[in-house]
Amino acid sequence: MTPVLLPSAGRVEPLAHGPHAHELLHRRDRLARRVAARVGPDGLLRAPCESRVLESALALWLLTAERAAPQARRRLARYLRDTLDGRPPDAVQRALGRAALGTAGPADRAAARELVVDDFTADRKRLMFATLLAELGAGEFPRVRPEAYDVRGQQSWLQLEMTSLKIMAAYGTGAPGLVTGADWDVLAPAVRPGPAWECNNLARLLGLLALRKHPGRRPAVRRALGDVLAGLGADGGLPFITGMGLFATATAGLALVRCGYAGPLVDRMADALAGRQNPDGGFGFHPGVTQSDVDDTSYAVEFLRGTGAARHRRRIRAAERHLLERRNSDGGFPTYARGIPSEIAMTAGAVNALAPDPAHRAVVEDGVRFIAAGQRPDGGFGRGWSRNASNAVFRAVLACDAARAGAGPAARRELDLVRSRAVGHLAGTGNADGGWGHRPGDPSDPISTAYAVIALAGSPEHRPLLRRAVRLLADRQQPDGGYLSRPDQAGPRPLLYDVPALADVSVLLGLAHAPIGPAAR
């Protein structure tokens, strides 16, 4: 990839000079070339998801219950044994994996109760995992309270998932009369032929496990098993989702543009992303996902504006309208739909996307006030879809920076205070090696550290910290130019899933913000 330097937005003092600066630029460019090489002929970044224990355990249980595909069952069992022995995940997934293998013990029955969920979805997640453990024979089904499964107005796959859990619990507790015809209708996408509906293997598996309770629906379940098997990875396991091609394309495009790359490749990425806009004006996380969300829409707007605002003006306006329609009365933004609790990272992303247009000034100011109100006494923020504490921090910092343009003196002082406290939180929670982990005290990993770099980049008073963090990222680069990192994406929260391409993209975005060498923006 040949760099075409974009016009400078103003220089800052570089982190390094001479040979050291040349080395950092060389490492960043190697990573940029690696990220660019992931772009396929369709203009989208290839970002498939790795297999996970949760979905693999459910697939094995389903195939075993249906006495189907013995060879695939052996592959799934091998994947589960190897993963549980070599790379054990969280306690809930360990319990489900052992239950599917028939080796669950007494401690596994308490896994759902002991699950730590630090957001508004906690009760729902405990209900989900308690039900699944019971379905796999490692626990007792919870009593069915119909209101606990009511998620009308929320994301599409959540309705399928919660209805499936309701059916499992109703049959498991001997109360099938609680299941309505409308409940069965909600599960229809689970048996659609082809790839998983909304690219979500978990939702399809839950739907199939529930549908098999109804004798008249068993044939459709068995017909769907071939499509489930088609999603197995080379390792024999099954991933949570198909991939994150649109999210990765938008964030990688932002990183490449900020590094100073422009030209046909970046334009092709932007055009490909724009062509995947949903009819409601928003964007999903992967091609074929019709459920738009604030996160992907915000990143898409930033990328499209940065690489071709004139060419994509109509798309940008439609995406901005999508964001505005989802804004809650508290001034914050949820992930999916108006009325769902607002979240810091989602609000910060929306602020970044909307701030360049003066017409959205009032919305931006309300969004920043929501962020300020959610800041913790130590300057940090809660975790959301990203399990990195540094994710919400860097997004809040960028939102404060974006909101500064056009703000009056008093508003600027408030923005600077929120920003200073957030960056100060990072400064006080870093590790001795110069990096950050998911939470204070966790081992440093490249993604968490890259997010911290973004937050620190515009703070001259923390230049020594920034220099050490960039050095850690440079030292962690693999011989092939890429990165290996503990994943930060979670779904259902707090269960991690791994899209390896995002390690490269996240680090490139971090290095793109760092003032490296004389060409730094």
Side-chain angles (χ1 to χ4, degrees):
M1 181 174 60
T2 302
V4 179
L5 290 180
L6 300 173
S8 174
R11 296 181 182 275
V12 296
E13 180 63 25
L15 286 176
H17 299 272
H20 187 47
H22 178 76
E23 179 207 351
L24 292 178
L25 285 168
H26 173 69
R27 289 179 180 271
R28 190 186 71 181
D29 287 344
R30 284 184 66 209
L31 178 59
R33 288 193 295 272
R34 177 179 167 85
V35 168
R38 287 185 179 272
V39 179
D42 61 357
L44 298 177
L45 200 88
R46 294 184 296 272
C49 187
E50 294 285 280
S51 298
R52 190 168 69 168
V53 166
L54 171 57
E55 289 71 25
S56 302
L58 297 180
L60 176 58
W61 184 262
L62 175 64
L63 294 173
T64 302
E66 292 295 327
R67 299 181 180 179
Q71 184 175 355
R73 281 151 53 189
R74 287 192 290 271
R75 292 177 62 204
L76 283 161
R78 188 182 310 115
Y79 164 80
L80 289 172
R81 285 193 294 268
D82 291 347
T83 305
L84 293 176
D85 289 343
R87 305 182 307 279
D90 53 88
V92 166
Q93 291 195 80
R94 288 199 304 272
L96 288 165
R98 286 195 284 254
L101 293 168
T103 60
D108 296 320
R109 296 175 178 271
R113 292 195 303 271
E114 296 173 1
L115 179 72
V116 177
V117 184
D118 52 1
D119 60 47
F120 64 92
T121 67
D123 290 341
R124 191 170 70 221
K125 297 305 168 51
R126 293 192 184 96
L127 176 62
M128 171 182 283
F129 298 128
T131 303
L132 291 180
L133 285 168
E135 178 69 18
L136 271 60
E140 301 295 328
F141 281 102
R143 181 175 63 87
V144 178
R145 295 179 296 106
E147 67 276 7
Y149 304 92
D150 186 355
V151 290
R152 283 172 292 184
Q154 301 201 41
Q155 60 267 38
S156 55
W157 52 78
L158 183 60
Q159 297 175 53
L160 191 156
E161 291 170 358
M162 296 307 293
T163 303
S164 299
L165 296 169
K166 174 187 173 182
I167 292 172
M168 291 181 213
Y171 276 78
T173 56
L178 293 173
V179 180
T180 68
D183 290 332
W184 294 114
D185 292 343
V186 169
L187 273 53
V191 291
R192 287 182 185 174
W197 172 69
E198 297 286 50
C199 301
N200 191 319
N201 286 315
L202 175 59
R204 175 159 68 179
L205 288 167
L206 295 183
L208 294 176
L209 286 168
L211 285 166
R212 67 180 302 274
K213 307 292 184 185
H214 191 302
R217 300 174 189 270
R218 287 283 293 279
V221 172
R222 291 190 65 82
R223 286 194 297 271
L225 295 182
D227 291 326
V228 173
L229 296 178
L232 295 184
D235 58 4
L238 191 69
F240 164 44
I241 54 176
T242 305
M244 297 185 72
L246 299 188
F247 177 87
T249 299
T251 50
L254 278 171
L256 290 170
V257 168
R258 191 172 181 93
C259 282
Y261 290 91
L265 176 69
V266 174
D267 290 343
R268 185 155 51 89
M269 293 170 67
D271 292 344
L273 182 66
R276 269 69 175 190
Q277 190 171 31
N278 286 329
D280 64 5
F283 290 83
F285 60 82
H286 196 64
V289 175
T290 62
Q291 173 68 70
S292 300
D293 65 82
V294 167
D295 202 22
D296 288 284
T297 303
S298 298
Y299 276 125
V301 168
E302 286 195 77
F303 176 41
L304 295 179
R305 183 180 284 120
T307 191
R311 188 168 73 256
H312 298 296
R313 182 178 293 110
R314 182 174 60 86
R315 302 281 190 181
I316 293 170
R317 291 288 182 243
E320 288 177 335
R321 286 194 297 273
H322 177 86
L323 292 174
L324 294 171
E325 289 166 359
R326 269 114 195 107
R327 187 171 70 111
N328 281 327
S329 58
D330 60 8
F333 290 76
T335 303
Y336 295 108
R338 181 177 172 84
I340 301 174
S342 301
E343 302 190 55
I344 296 294
M346 299 301 102
T347 302
V351 166
N352 288 326
L354 296 169
D357 189 338
H360 304 316
R361 184 70 210 172
V363 173
V364 167
E365 291 176 352
D366 285 347
V368 172
R369 277 193 285 270
F370 173 82
I371 293 170
Q375 192 168 34
R376 294 178 172 177
D378 64 0
F381 302 94
R383 300 183 296 168
W385 293 105
S386 168
R387 304 314 288 166
N388 288 320
S390 54
N391 179 274
V393 171
F394 99 73
R395 300 189 77 176
V397 166
L398 293 184
C400 290
D401 292 344
R404 257 185 136 261
R412 288 193 177 197
R413 286 193 294 272
E414 293 176 4
L415 291 169
D416 291 346
L417 178 61
V418 173
R419 188 190 196 285
S420 176
R421 293 180 65 225
V423 175
H425 168 77
L426 280 181
T429 56
N431 291 328
D433 61 6
W436 280 261
H438 280 197
R439 296 174 300 179
D442 285 355
S444 299
D445 67 81
I447 293 178
S448 301
T449 303
Y451 292 160
V453 164
I454 298 173
L456 293 168
S459 301
E461 70 274 19
H462 294 299
R463 189 52 56 90
L465 280 178
L466 177 62
R467 186 176 291 111
R468 292 175 60 221
V470 170
R471 184 71 260 169
L472 181 141
L473 292 178
D475 292 343
R476 294 283 184 94
Q477 191 169 37
Q478 301 295 303
D480 61 7
Y483 283 82
L484 300 174
S485 182
R486 182 185 185 188
D488 77 307
Q489 296 288 323
R493 291 183 275 189
L495 304 190
L496 296 173
Y497 62 94
D498 191 11
V499 178
L502 296 185
D504 289 352
V505 172
S506 298
V507 174
L508 183 62
L509 194 60
L511 294 177
H513 280 79
I516 299 174
R521 301 295 181 272

